[in-house]
Amino acid sequence: MRGPSKIATITGSPFNLPAWAELTVRQQKMPLVSRMDRMRFVIRLAMENVERGTGGPFGAAVFEAKKGTLVSIGVNIVTIANCSHCHAEMVALANAQKELKNFDLGAPGFPEHELVTSCEPCAMCYGAIPWSGVRILVCGARCEDAEAIGFDEGPKPKAWARALEVRGISVAQNVCRKEAVSVLQEYKKRGGMIYNPRQTKNTRRYRKPEP
Amino acid sequence: MRGPSKIATITGSPFNLPAWAELTVRQQKMPLVSRMDRMRFVIRLAMENVERGTGGPFGAAVFEAKKGTLVSIGVNIVTIANCSHCHAEMVALANAQKELKNFDLGAPGFPEHELVTSCEPCAMCYGAIPWSGVRILVCGARCEDAEAIGFDEGPKPKAWARALEVRGISVAQNVCRKEAVSVLQEYKKRGGMIYNPRQTKNTRRYRKPEP
């Protein structure tokens, strides 16, 4: 079964992954045929990212939609990569394009690709989805679940899912939401860093991670 | 005068730059004190990207807002990097964060940083701006100028500039717009690739580059 040829670890590219990721992928039976199994896999990635302290409580992966073959994974590595673009979805999409040597996952000759993410995308990841070439977006936790622990989802259009559908990208929401939310809560419990938000009236203050 | 310690060329990271970029930066007198001079510099980057055939007609740079010191540059390298995230603004922001070894350009102790871009940001780059830590956004060409040659700006909120202002990021538009638009027109004249758009009713078809 074809899988990512190599999980690149953190040195070099900002989209390379923490060292633990390779083993996690190797231990996962593939392909993942059901949508819920794919979601549970990215939730596991998110939880491992929290437990290992390598970033925010978010995981994502790109699959061949029909067969469930894993193409790439991503976790939030903003802090260790020193790059604010490195949200889980961005990392997964960039690595899928690297794996397939094409900036368009919807290029002629490719099977349909699906982005599975443990939480609905922020404004940046949302804007990146139409350019990536994926045809399906599958989300676990809701925006408001991320906001409930202090993250900021950014200035996203209200009817964001509809705007993707218009572009031929189907959107599934609330897949294993409860399990996805539990990762966010675990992160909060551990005092994880809520980064980025600025000190303006509509956003929140930096919160330093507890030691 | 401090400048980027090194312009990383295209191997390795998806955000590394074409080989010509280093010389272009070295030939430019710094700092650039006026806003128009900064804009003309990124327009030159965009034009060189078109002339060298290394990507789309877009250039960007991060400056220390007050002094005009150059921190990083970016051009659109989607096609040569095989990564749909690699718009000029994303490349410039990632390289500024790499240069300053911080995922937040607005971190305590940093001077105010300004992102100067030859064209208003698409939905993705727009969403990335609040996370980047820049406090000022300066734009040349308008969204509709990019759309006029076939590019798609993505699902961005209508009141996008206002939503940045609310977050404490000031926005200047129409800076040297005419000169910025001339790069877009040059790209079109050369039959440059309009990538990404899908074949749905609201978007446009792939257009292959002319040989």
Side-chain angles (χ1 to χ4, degrees):
Chain A
M1 176 52 64
R2 190 178 70 74
S5 59
K6 198 186 140 222
I7 300 290
T9 49
I10 195 64
T11 51
S13 163
F15 293 126
N16 286 348
L17 290 153
W20 56 260
E22 192 162 359
L23 186 63
T24 306
V25 169
R26 239 190 297 137
Q27 284 173 341
Q28 175 65 52
K29 259 196 172 174
M30 293 286 169
L32 292 172
V33 178
S34 87
R35 183 159 282 179
M36 285 174 75
D37 282 345
R38 294 176 199 175
M39 181 55 73
R40 289 199 183 102
F41 172 65
V42 304
I43 291 171
R44 192 169 323 131
L45 292 173
M47 187 61 97
E48 195 152 356
N49 206 36
V50 172
E51 288 169 352
R52 305 263 193 170
T54 39
F58 305 102
V62 173
F63 290 93
E64 285 185 18
K66 207 168 172 185
K67 292 187 181 171
T69 310
L70 180 69
V71 180
S72 68
I73 67 164
V75 288
N76 176 302
I77 48 168
V78 166
T79 52
I80 58 170
N82 266 339
C83 181
S84 61
H85 306 337
C86 291
H87 290 194
E89 300 95 316
M90 300 294 279
V91 174
L93 292 172
N95 281 322
Q97 293 173 348
K98 188 178 174 189
E99 173 70 18
L100 300 178
K101 298 180 178 58
N102 200 310
F103 62 84
D104 181 3
L105 301 173
F110 281 167
E112 277 199 342
H113 286 110
E114 174 175 295
L115 174 64
V116 182
T117 172
S118 67
C119 186
E120 288 173 351
C122 79
M124 168 181 67
C125 299
Y126 170 64
I129 288 167
W131 310 156
S132 72
V134 295
R135 305 301 288 181
I136 304 163
L137 172 67
V138 180
C139 309
R142 302 299 296 256
C143 294
E144 55 262 40
D145 299 328
E147 286 166 354
I149 66 157
F151 279 103
D152 179 354
E153 290 285 278
K156 215 164 67 167
K158 268 197 180 162
W160 64 268
R162 173 79 194 124
L164 290 182
E165 302 267 6
V166 165
R167 286 165 181 271
I169 300 164
S170 69
V171 180
Q173 292 167 290
N174 299 314
V175 178
C176 309
R177 180 179 178 185
K178 211 172 148 187
E179 291 160 70
V181 168
S182 71
V183 184
L184 302 176
Q185 287 167 344
E186 178 62 25
Y187 186 74
K188 191 187 174 186
K189 207 177 85 185
R190 289 174 182 237
M193 188 184 199
I194 306 295
Y195 43 81
N196 284 318
R198 296 257 80 78
Q199 296 172 36
T200 58
K201 58 181 174 164
N202 287 20
T203 56
R204 290 172 194 80
R205 257 178 188 281
Y206 245 122
R207 191 149 61 83
K208 277 205 177 158
E210 284 166 26
Chain B
M1 178 50 65
R2 193 180 67 74
S5 58
K6 198 186 140 221
I7 300 291
T9 49
I10 196 64
T11 51
S13 163
F15 294 126
N16 285 349
L17 289 154
W20 56 260
E22 192 162 0
L23 186 63
T24 306
V25 169
R26 239 190 297 136
Q27 285 173 342
Q28 174 65 51
K29 260 196 173 175
M30 293 288 169
L32 293 171
V33 178
S34 88
R35 182 160 282 179
M36 287 175 73
D37 283 345
R38 294 177 199 176
M39 180 57 71
R40 288 196 185 103
F41 172 64
V42 304
I43 290 172
R44 191 169 323 130
L45 292 173
M47 187 62 98
E48 195 152 356
N49 206 35
V50 173
E51 289 169 350
R52 305 263 192 169
T54 38
F58 305 102
V62 173
F63 290 93
E64 285 185 18
K66 206 167 173 185
K67 291 187 181 169
T69 310
L70 180 68
V71 179
S72 70
I73 66 164
V75 288
N76 177 302
I77 48 168
V78 166
T79 53
I80 57 170
N82 267 338
C83 181
S84 61
H85 306 336
C86 291
H87 289 193
E89 299 95 316
M90 300 294 279
V91 174
L93 292 172
N95 281 321
Q97 293 173 348
K98 188 178 173 186
E99 173 70 19
L100 299 178
K101 298 181 180 56
N102 200 311
F103 63 84
D104 181 3
L105 301 174
F110 281 168
E112 276 200 342
H113 286 109
E114 173 175 295
L115 174 65
V116 182
T117 172
S118 67
C119 186
E120 289 173 349
C122 79
M124 169 182 66
C125 299
Y126 170 63
I129 288 168
W131 310 157
S132 73
V134 295
R135 305 301 288 182
I136 303 163
L137 171 68
V138 180
C139 310
R142 305 297 297 254
C143 294
E144 54 263 39
D145 299 327
E147 285 166 354
I149 66 157
F151 279 103
D152 180 354
E153 291 283 279
K156 214 165 65 168
K158 268 196 178 159
W160 63 268
R162 174 77 194 125
L164 290 183
E165 302 266 7
V166 165
R167 285 165 181 271
I169 300 164
S170 69
V171 180
Q173 292 168 289
N174 300 314
V175 178
C176 308
R177 180 179 179 185
K178 211 171 149 187
E179 292 159 69
V181 168
S182 71
V183 184
L184 303 175
Q185 286 168 344
E186 178 63 24
Y187 187 73
K188 192 187 175 185
K189 208 177 86 186
R190 290 173 183 238
M193 187 184 199
I194 307 295
Y195 44 80
N196 284 318
R198 298 258 80 78
Q199 296 170 36
T200 58
K201 58 181 175 163
N202 286 21
T203 55
R204 290 171 194 82
R205 257 179 188 278
Y206 244 122
R207 190 152 61 84
K208 277 204 177 160
E210 284 166 25

